């Protein structure tokens, strides 16, 4: 994806997050602090947070990270591994106070969340619900000051909002 960098100089930013060579859609951008213990180091002292840019390309999702405030991006490892390609649509990025970053999806009707705890070096996938199917679209994720995560999606059969809660940084979920 190419866009003019506003605010001076007209820089071009290249951020092909899904890295499929096809149209990238449903972009989300967010920033999170560098997690403790991470090997990632930001390169511009004016921008101390990691910038994450994620998109989908029909059936696949991908992210890119920037360590210089968004001037340049580097492709991150694949998201949502071992999936049959149904839909790559994701929710919006969410970061907690410790620098963990979350992204939800409901591809193939299974509400899932991926998390990076190391600044985008690796991503771990977890299932928010094995019993309540999601409409093949967004799963939104938010965190509170106590470190709890909340995943929300639309019930596939009844078109009503559903949520799951995690007190384990997205590794385990409860209704």
């Amino acid at each position: 994806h190419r866009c003019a960098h506003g605010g001076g100089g007209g820089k071009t930013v290249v951020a092909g997050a899904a890295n499929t060579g096809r149209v990238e859609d449903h972009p989300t951008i967010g920033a999170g602090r560098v997690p403790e213990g991470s090997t990632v180091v930001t390169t511009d002292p004016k921008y101390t947070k990691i910038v994450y840019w994620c998109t989908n390309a029909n059936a696949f999702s991908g992210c890119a990270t920037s360590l210089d405030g968004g001037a340049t991006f580097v492709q991150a490892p694949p998201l949502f591994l071992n999936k049959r390609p149904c839909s790559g649509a994701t929710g919006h990025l969410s970061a907690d106070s410790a620098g963990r970053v979350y992204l939800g999806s409901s591809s193939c009707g299974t509400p899932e969340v991926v998390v990076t705890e190391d600044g985008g070096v690796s991503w771990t996938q977890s299932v928010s619900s094995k019993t309540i199917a999601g409409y093949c679209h967004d799963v939104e994720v938010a965190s509170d000051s106590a470190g709890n995560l909340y995943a929300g999606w639309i019930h596939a059969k009844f078109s009503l909002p559903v949520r799951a809660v995690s007190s384990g940084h997205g590794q385990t979920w409860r209704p």
Side-chain angles (χ1 to χ4, degrees), residues 90-119:
T90 62
H92 297 282
L93 287 166
S94 175
D96 69 13
S97 62
R100 287 179 286 267
V101 174
Y102 306 93
L103 183 65
S105 176
S106 190
S107 179
C108 302
T110 303
E112 297 177 314
V113 175
V114 291
V115 59
T116 180
E117 299 184 88
D118 57 13

Side-chain angles (χ1 to χ4, degrees), residues 78-81 101 103 113-117 122-126 170-171:
L79 308 179
F80 303 105
L81 301 173
V101 174
L103 183 65
V113 175
V114 291
V115 59
T116 180
E117 299 184 88
S122 64
W123 295 79
T124 304
Q125 179 179 341
S126 68
Q171 300 308 308

Side-chain angles (χ1 to χ4, degrees), residues 4-170:
H5 186 287
K11 284 185 185 177
T12 298
V13 178
V14 179
N19 198 27
T20 63
R22 297 186 294 261
V23 173
E24 296 191 28
D25 191 18
H26 212 263
T28 179
I29 190 167
R33 60 174 285 213
V34 176
E36 280 195 39
S38 174
T39 59
V40 174
V41 178
T42 56
T43 59
D44 187 330
K46 294 182 290 187
Y47 304 104
T48 59
K49 293 186 175 184
I50 302 168
V51 178
Y52 298 84
W53 166 266
C54 302
T55 63
N56 70 67
N58 296 328
F60 300 98
S61 302
C63 292
T65 56
S66 175
L67 304 178
D68 57 9
T72 60
F73 284 83
V74 175
Q75 182 71 38
L79 308 179
F80 303 105
L81 301 173
N82 302 319
K83 294 190 58 101
R84 61 187 192 274
C86 296
S87 168
T90 62
H92 297 282
L93 287 166
S94 175
D96 69 13
S97 62
R100 287 179 286 267
V101 174
Y102 306 93
L103 183 65
S105 176
S106 190
S107 179
C108 302
T110 303
E112 297 177 314
V113 175
V114 291
V115 59
T116 180
E117 299 184 88
D118 57 13
V121 175
S122 64
W123 295 79
T124 304
Q125 179 179 341
S126 68
V127 176
S128 312
S129 175
K130 294 180 181 179
T131 58
I132 302 175
Y135 175 70
C136 285
H137 215 276
D138 309 357
V139 171
E140 296 294 339
V141 184
S143 62
D144 65 19
S145 60
N148 296 305
L149 285 182
Y150 303 88
W153 65 94
I154 300 298
H155 193 289
K157 184 175 180 182
F158 301 111
S159 295
L160 296 171
V162 179
R163 65 110 174 107
V165 180
S166 173
S167 51
H169 309 300

